[in-house]
Amino acid sequence: MIDVIKKIRDIGIVPVVKLDSSEQAVPLGKALIAGGIPIVEVTFRTDAAEESIKKLVAELPEIMVGAGTVTTIDQAKRAWAAGAKFMVSPGFNPNVVRWCIENNIPITPGVNSPSQIEQGIESGLSVLKFFPAEQSGGVNTLKAFAGPYGSVMYIPTGGVNLKNMCSYLAFKNVLAVGGSWMVKPDTIAAGKYDEITKLCREAVITGLGFELRHVGINDPDEDAARRDAARMEELFSFTSKPGNSSIFAGVGFEFMKSPYLGKNGHIAIATYSVDRAVAWLANLGVKTRPDTEKRDSMGSLTVAYLDEEIGGFAVHLVRR
C-alpha cells in the first residue's frame, strides 16, 4: 500500500479516464507513458472498464492501473481481480472502504467535509480524494482542513485543470491531483494519442514548476562574503541579510561564508515538490545525494542536491 501511495506522489498527476471500448486501453496507456505519466484511473462509468484494466495490466506492466468511480463492493472485487492496484470512489462508502481495508487494497474515498475526513481517519486512512474539488471551495478549503487535520493528504479531483493544478500541487497536504483534461473522451475516441502525450508532458512540467530560486557563490571566508554582499547592496540596492552559514544579497544571491558544495558554488532550483522532481530526474538518469536531503515533519523532501555539477556549480532542489 505504501509503495502505491509513494508512486502516486512521485508522479503527481492521475489521469481519470472514461473508456467506451477496451480496444482504446493499450494505445491510451502507451500515450500516457510517453507523456511521462505512467498511471491511470479507469473509471467504472462504462462496461468497458473491467476489460480495459485487464488489458492495461497484461500488456503494459510499466503503468500503474487503478479503478475509479468504485461505488460497490462488487465493482471493487471485479477491479481487483482484473489487476487494479488501487481503488478510488467519488464518496465515502463505508462498506467499500471496509472491504478494501480488510483486503489490504489501497483506496482513496471522496470527501469534502470534516465529518467525512474523520470517517477516513477513523478507518485508518491518511490519503483521501477531495471531490468535487473546485465546487467544494478548492485549495482554500484544503487549507482550512489542514488546521484540525494536518496529517491528512489529499488528491483533489473535479474541476482541476492545467490552469489551476499548481495552486493545489503547491500545497503541502496535496499528494497529487486527478483530472481528465489531458484524456478527454472525444480525444480518445478520435485516436489522437499524440495529442494526449503532448498534453501529459505539458502537465508534468507545469506541475513540477521549476524556477531559479538563487545562486550561491563560494567565498573563501566570512569577510569576503560580507564584502561581496555589501557591494551588491551598494550597486543594486539588494538588501543584505546575514545568516549562519551565508549572507544573502536580495533573494537571488547567496554568498557562502566558507566554500560548500560545487567548485564555484551552487544553483538553487525551486519546485512544487522535491519528491516529484527527484523522481522525474531519476527517469532522466540523474541521481541525488542522500546526505544532502532534508525533510519536513510529514516526511516530504524540502531540499536535495543533485549528484553532479553544471558549469562548476552544484545544483540543489528546494520546495517552493
Side-chain angles (χ1 to χ4, degrees), residues 72-79:
T72 67
I73 292 177
D74 177 66
Q75 288 176 335
K77 288 180 177 179
R78 287 161 51 204

Side-chain angles (χ1 to χ4, degrees), residues 15-31:
V16 181
V17 176
K18 173 179 171 288
L19 295 175
D20 294 317
S21 168
S22 63
E23 298 303 315
Q24 299 168 332
V26 173
L28 173 65
K30 290 179 178 179

Side-chain angles (χ1 to χ4, degrees), residues 118-134:
E118 291 188 13
Q119 279 186 282
I121 294 172
E122 185 69 19
S123 299
L125 300 176
S126 59
V127 179
L128 302 169
K129 173 181 177 177
F130 179 50
F131 179 82
E134 283 294 283

Side-chain angles (χ1 to χ4, degrees), residues 61-116:
E62 61 268 51
I63 192 169
M64 187 165 73
V65 184
T69 321
V70 176
T71 59
T72 67
I73 292 177
D74 177 66
Q75 288 176 335
K77 288 180 177 179
R78 287 161 51 204
W80 186 246
K85 296 295 187 293
F86 62 93
M87 308 288 163
V88 183
S89 59
F92 197 101
N93 184 316
N95 292 328
V96 173
V97 170
R98 188 181 307 110
W99 184 86
C100 288
I101 292 174
E102 289 174 350
N103 288 276
N104 199 32
I105 298 170
I107 181 168
T108 53
V111 302
N112 68 351
S113 72
S115 296
Q116 293 168 336

Side-chain angles (χ1 to χ4, degrees), residues 260-277:
Y260 188 50
L261 297 179
K263 177 183 176 182
N264 301 319
H266 64 270
I267 299 170
I269 303 294
T271 177
Y272 290 122
S273 170
V274 178
D275 288 291
R276 285 197 296 273

Side-chain angles (χ1 to χ4, degrees), residues 157-311:
T157 308
V160 179
N161 54 49
L162 188 68
K163 292 182 179 180
N164 63 21
M165 63 181 285
C166 290
S167 66
Y168 289 103
L169 292 173
F171 184 49
K172 63 183 179 64
N173 288 74
V174 169
L175 184 83
V177 297
S180 58
W181 76 90
M182 77 294 284
V183 287
K184 292 181 178 179
D186 56 346
T187 306
I188 297 172
K192 296 180 179 179
Y193 298 110
D194 288 344
E195 181 177 339
I196 290 172
T197 293
K198 179 182 177 181
L199 291 172
C200 286
R201 183 165 291 274
E202 179 185 34
V204 170
I205 297 302
T206 299
L208 287 168
F210 289 130
E211 68 174 19
L212 177 64
R213 174 58 59 87
H214 66 258
V215 177
I217 298 169
N218 283 342
D219 272 322
D221 52 45
E222 184 173 349
D223 288 340
R226 290 186 181 279
R227 286 195 302 270
D228 289 340
R231 187 58 172 164
M232 294 293 281
E233 184 169 5
E234 178 183 9
L235 294 177
F236 307 111
S237 297
F238 294 157
T239 303
S240 296
K241 183 179 180 181
N244 292 330
S245 59
S246 65
I247 302 173
F248 269 88
V251 296
F253 296 92
E254 181 184 17
F255 295 96
M256 307 303 295
K257 294 180 180 179
S258 62
Y260 188 50
L261 297 179
K263 177 183 176 182
N264 301 319
H266 64 270
I267 299 170
I269 303 294
T271 177
Y272 290 122
S273 170
V274 178
D275 288 291
R276 285 197 296 273
V278 168
W280 171 257
L281 292 169
N283 291 330
L284 302 178
V286 179
K287 297 180 180 180
T288 55
R289 293 182 49 166
D291 61 305
T292 65
E293 293 180 354
K294 294 181 180 179
R295 297 180 181 274
D296 62 17
S297 59
M298 298 178 73
S300 298
L301 282 171
T302 58
V303 175
Y305 274 79
L306 307 190
D307 192 19
E308 65 176 71
E309 294 183 11
I310 298 176

